[in-house]
Amino acid sequence: MTDSAAAPTPVPAPTVGFDLDMTLIDSRPGIHACYRALAERTGTYIDADLAITRLGPPLEEELIHWFPAERVAETADLYRSMYPSIAIAATPAMPGAHQAVAAVRAAGGRAVVVTAKYEPNARLHLTHLGIEPDAVVGDRWAEAKAAALREHGATVYVGDHVGDVRGARAAHALSVTVPTGPCGADELRAAGADVVLADLTAFPGWLADYLEAAADEAEAADADADAARA
């Protein structure tokens, strides 16, 4: 029998990934304005009201609805060049966004934004709103987000779209979702989301419970190990 129990297993600080559009920021006003400006600039009709109901996938997947395939790449470049002067100031943070990132930091963890948005524009949004993640990775959609999540060691990914669920699952991260974008709660659950919160204001409480459960699980595992050594 040993004289004393082994030192408790520490619970690692979490690395949490966050999507951007409709998760951390309400990008609808800015994108709507940018699509209207793009339509005027190119002389091509774009239903901006419709376009902002299906945010999440890469820009090119929306532009193909309005432009011939051979014009999509150049039009995407034009849109991205127009975006900073039109969309950044018009875009607010989602309720609870600042607090969600702060909760990760308060737990000693890292917050990483992984988004399909063009990375320079994603960074402009975050800087404008005073949201300061530890890293930003852009131009990633759905399963392509997994490599960035694995690279940064994210064990949780928070998003609003079924594509975000797919990215989390591909990275073997817990999929935490908010139905604040184009996908409702039932659709997110059906896609395999592990957690559906009403919005990001519920995230700090959820994170505290999640970390407490992880600590309890580690403590129970230590107790079992001590009993086995006895």
Side-chain angles (χ1 to χ4, degrees), residues 27 31 34 79-88 117 121 125:
S27 51
I31 289 177
C34 202
Y79 173 96
R80 290 175 177 130
S81 71
M82 297 168 61
Y83 192 93
S85 63
I86 297 171
I88 301 301
K117 188 178 288 296
N121 288 342
H125 276 300

Side-chain angles (χ1 to χ4, degrees), residues 132-150:
E132 300 179 353
D134 295 279
V136 180
V137 181
D139 305 292
R140 304 291 180 94
W141 164 241
E143 289 85 355
K145 295 186 173 188
L149 294 171
R150 289 193 298 266

Side-chain angles (χ1 to χ4, degrees), residues 93-120:
M94 294 294 283
H98 291 87
Q99 293 85 348
V101 172
V104 176
R105 293 277 181 70
R110 299 176 70 249
V112 179
V113 171
V114 182
T115 173
K117 188 178 288 296
Y118 179 55
E119 188 173 310

Side-chain angles (χ1 to χ4, degrees), residues 173-207:
L174 194 75
S175 173
V176 176
T177 57
V178 284
T180 50
C183 301
D186 290 344
E187 186 178 1
L188 293 167
R189 290 190 189 97
D194 297 296
V195 178
V196 180
L197 304 174
D199 57 35
L200 279 186
T201 62
F203 179 81
W206 173 84
L207 181 64

